[in-house]
């Protein structure tokens, strides 16, 4: 075979991308449909990435699972144990003091802030609390409130605020939950991500950590698909071709092609826009309206013994440090008095902080994060393992004020090309990515074989 020859094969369905959306789409179809999954990287899982050591693990990609739907169903179906975060909370580290954010009074009066800063935080808190009741309700008024928030930048929370510290705190929340700045994103996504955690403590038990990390599930799904997944396969184009599709890709450095009846594209918005030629303008506009958060993560396995101050928290917001949040992946294991030695912590910088840190070497980043982590918890001195660095230039999708209205166009297939991803549903999350993948898989199955007969 010469370098100009193209290896060609056929399949019923090609899935582009082996993140959680692609894996869920493929496993939805695989029982009665011939599926090929093309993944550009050398591993399945997408932004789900876990490092394991002994009894502990660190999610150095997506942090938590939550909610209901296909993601939770898959965890249950495969018997994957989940550690609950019920009884755990989030703390705020400010001016050398640590305060539990689950207690609004403590947050306001025990935090080391000036009177001006307290007033500013009270105003911001009031603005979040004012819209929190409308974030999940399906009433007409709630939908109107959310539609209004869609047209407003999240920076409205800081309107008239002259406290630099309050702006730092809000910026830290945006960076740690979404990987972007408050000026970049519409208000709806921000206040939903942050507001529910602050105003509805009953939601916290819905957060969970699969034992072994989030990658436990993607590993199982990838194993179910076996050699149907083609790693190191960079898709160059997905084109309509009569009653089917043609997908051209590089198998390593060799050109290859799959002819199929349907394709499901689960690649990030900018890649999907590039590989699908001749996109109708509404699709092109919608893809262009999607932006992505950025994260730099450093994980540390630890070897402390006995109960520790951070055991009660699954997260600590740190707006004044080089990282803006610390997540405690061992929190779900701290359910009784029998505390195993060791632990697992992940420090996150997002948005503009991450952008600046990307220019530094891994060694410089680890040094900064280590020094700041020891200022937060001096007890960790001499107990931190080697820093594990991940640089994520594209993680959580978000959209600017007024840009969300274009996204529903992406829910409709382009002839024989179907789309899936966490940008399709209301609030980007791992659960929404899985649900989108399942919906695409079911739609493709129905187009090929007709709807499933009810049992």
């Amino acid at each position: 075979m010469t370098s100009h020859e193209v290896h060609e094969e056929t399949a019923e369905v090609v899935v582009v991308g082996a993140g959680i959306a692609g894996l869920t789409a493929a496993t939805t179809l695989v029982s009665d449909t011939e599926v090929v999954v093309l993944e550009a990287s050398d591993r399945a899982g997408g932004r789900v990435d876990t490092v394991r050591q002994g009894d502990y693990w660190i999610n150095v990609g997506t942090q938590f699972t939550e909610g209901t739907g296909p993601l939770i169903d898959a965890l249950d179906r495969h018997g994957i144990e989940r550690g609950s975060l019920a009884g755990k909370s989030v703390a705020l580290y400010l001016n050398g003091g640590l305060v539990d954010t689950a207690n609004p009074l403590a947050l306001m009066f025990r935090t080391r802030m000036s009177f001006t800063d307290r007033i500013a935080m009270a105003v911001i808190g009031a603005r979040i609390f004012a819209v929190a009741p409308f974030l999940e309700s399906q009433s007409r008024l709630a939908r109107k409130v959310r539609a209004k928030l869609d047209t407003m930048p999240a920076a409205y929370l800081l309107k008239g605020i002259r406290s630099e510290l309050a702006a730092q705190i809000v910026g830290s929340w945006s960076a740690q939950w979404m990987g972007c700045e408050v000026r970049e994103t519409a208000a709806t996504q921000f206040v939903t991500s942050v507001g529910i955690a602050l105003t509805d403590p009953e939601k916290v038990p819905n957060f969970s950590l699969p034992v072994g990390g989030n990658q436990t599930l993607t590993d199982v799904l990838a194993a179910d698909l076996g050699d149907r997944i083609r790693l190191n396969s960079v898709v160059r184009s997905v084109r309509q071709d009569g009653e089917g599709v043609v997908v051209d890709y590089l198998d390593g450095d060799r050109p290859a092609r799959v002819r199929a009846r349907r394709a499901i594209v689960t690649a990030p918005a900018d890649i999907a826009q590039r590989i699908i030629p001749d996109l109708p303008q509404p699709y092109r506009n919608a893809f262009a309206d999607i932006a992505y958060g950025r994260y730099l993560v450093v994980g540390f396995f630890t070897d402390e013994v006995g109960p520790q101050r951070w055991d009660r928290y699954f997260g600590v917001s740190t707006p004044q440090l080089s990282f803006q949040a610390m997540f405690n992946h061992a929190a779900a294991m701290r359910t009784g008095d029998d505390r195993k030695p060791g632990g697992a912590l992940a420090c996150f910088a997002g948005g503009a902080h991450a952008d600046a840190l990307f220019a530094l070497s891994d060694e410089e980043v680890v040094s900064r994060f280590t020094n700041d982590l020891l200022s937060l918890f001096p007890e960790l001195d001499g107990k931190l393992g080697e820093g594990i660095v991940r640089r994520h230039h594209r993680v959580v999708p978000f959209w600017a004020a007024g840009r969300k209205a274009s996204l529903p166009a992406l829910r409709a297939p382009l002839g024989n090309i179907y789309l899936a991803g966490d940008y399709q549903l209301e609030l980007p999350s791992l659960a929404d990515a899985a649900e989108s993948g399942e919906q695409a898989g079911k739609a493709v199955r129905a187009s090929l074989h007709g709807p499933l007969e009810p049992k």
Side-chain angles (χ1 to χ4, degrees):
M1 179 175 289
T2 71
S3 61
H4 298 289
E5 292 178 318
V6 177
H7 172 73
E8 187 168 309
E9 63 180 313
T10 61
E12 284 189 283
V13 179
V14 179
V15 176
V16 178
I20 192 64
L23 292 173
T24 306
T27 53
T28 299
L29 287 162
V30 73
S31 64
D32 58 5
T33 306
E34 184 186 13
V35 179
V36 170
V37 182
L38 301 177
E39 168 56 44
S41 72
D42 60 0
R43 56 176 290 275
R47 71 170 192 255
V48 175
D49 189 3
T50 300
V51 179
R52 304 177 179 105
Q53 181 176 296
D55 293 325
Y56 296 100
W57 64 88
I58 302 173
N59 288 327
V60 289
T62 302
Q63 291 304 295
F64 304 106
T65 62
E66 61 169 313
T68 59
L71 180 69
I72 305 303
D73 293 344
L75 289 166
D76 292 340
R77 186 169 61 253
H78 289 283
I80 297 173
E81 181 184 352
R82 298 196 300 280
S84 173
L85 293 172
K88 310 300 179 182
S89 57
V90 177
L92 173 65
Y93 179 71
L94 206 61
N95 295 329
L98 194 68
V99 177
D100 193 327
T101 61
N103 184 339
L105 290 177
L107 181 62
M108 285 302 303
F109 297 109
R110 290 180 54 198
T111 305
R112 298 172 182 176
M113 291 189 287
S114 70
F115 179 76
T116 299
D117 294 333
R118 292 181 198 280
I119 294 299
M121 288 305 300
V123 171
I124 293 167
R127 288 171 178 171
I128 293 175
F129 273 81
V131 298
F134 305 103
L135 297 179
E136 296 185 293
S137 169
Q138 295 305 311
S139 71
R140 180 180 298 179
L141 177 58
R143 290 196 296 269
K144 287 181 65 175
V145 170
R146 290 198 296 271
K148 178 64 175 177
L149 290 172
D150 283 340
T151 67
M152 300 167 60
Y156 92 93
L157 292 170
L158 297 172
K159 186 176 181 180
I161 299 296
R162 288 176 168 74
S163 163
E164 183 177 341
L165 182 60
Q168 277 185 309
I169 293 171
V170 173
S172 174
W173 287 340
S174 179
Q176 75 184 66
W177 291 110
M178 299 169 57
C180 68
E181 303 298 300
V182 289
R183 66 179 181 275
E184 294 180 284
T185 182
T188 317
Q189 192 173 347
F190 177 85
V191 297
T192 303
S193 300
V194 175
I196 290 177
L198 291 178
T199 64
D200 189 1
E202 296 302 316
K203 290 280 289 184
V204 171
N206 289 334
F207 290 108
S208 64
L209 294 170
V211 171
N214 285 340
Q215 193 176 319
T216 301
L217 176 59
T218 56
D219 285 349
V220 168
L221 297 179
D224 285 347
L225 293 167
D227 60 7
R228 298 176 183 87
I229 300 178
R230 314 284 173 79
L231 301 177
N232 300 305
S233 298
V234 179
V235 172
R236 298 196 291 184
S237 69
V238 182
R239 297 179 286 110
Q240 297 274 0
D241 182 47
E243 296 299 313
V245 295
V246 173
V247 179
D248 284 303
Y249 69 102
L250 291 177
D251 179 8
D253 59 357
R254 182 181 68 168
R257 176 176 295 151
V258 182
R259 294 186 181 274
R261 297 176 65 188
R262 302 289 186 272
I264 301 175
V265 176
T266 71
D270 55 317
I271 296 176
Q273 185 177 14
R274 186 174 73 244
I275 65 176
I276 305 175
D278 304 321
L279 276 174
Q281 198 61 45
Y283 290 80
R284 193 168 297 281
N285 292 345
F287 277 133
D289 283 340
I290 298 170
Y292 284 90
R294 299 85 65 197
Y295 285 126
L296 195 151
V297 186
V298 179
F300 298 95
F301 290 104
T302 62
D303 64 358
E304 75 279 6
V305 177
Q308 304 293 330
R309 286 191 295 153
W310 54 89
D311 289 350
R312 61 184 290 196
Y313 303 118
F314 70 84
V316 179
S317 184
T318 56
Q320 296 170 311
L321 303 184
S322 54
F323 54 88
Q324 292 148 308
M326 183 208 78
F327 289 118
N328 175 12
H329 292 91
M333 301 175 66
R334 312 303 189 203
T335 56
D337 297 330
D338 184 19
R339 184 197 191 279
K340 292 182 178 181
L345 306 173
C347 300
F348 275 66
H353 272 59
D355 294 338
L357 290 166
F358 285 150
L360 303 180
S361 68
D362 285 1
E363 292 75 17
E364 290 175 294
V365 171
V366 170
S367 176
R368 291 190 185 192
F369 281 27
T370 298
N371 290 337
D372 279 352
L373 184 55
L374 293 178
S375 71
L376 173 60
F377 294 117
E379 307 96 310
L380 284 168
D381 190 18
K383 299 179 174 63
L384 290 175
E386 184 177 348
I388 302 162
V389 181
R390 292 291 188 276
R391 299 165 183 264
H392 300 288
H393 295 271
R394 188 199 293 109
V395 193
V396 182
F398 67 90
W399 33 87
R403 297 298 182 89
K404 189 178 179 182
S406 67
L407 301 189
L410 300 177
R411 297 173 185 170
L414 278 158
N416 298 317
I417 301 172
Y418 293 69
L419 304 172
D422 53 6
Y423 54 78
Q424 286 206 350
L425 303 178
E426 289 302 313
L427 184 66
S429 68
L430 201 61
D432 276 6
E435 184 171 348
S436 175
E438 182 184 72
Q439 289 177 358
K442 287 181 174 179
V444 165
R445 172 188 279 129
S447 76
L448 293 174
H449 309 302
L452 286 177
E453 294 294 329
K455 295 182 178 180

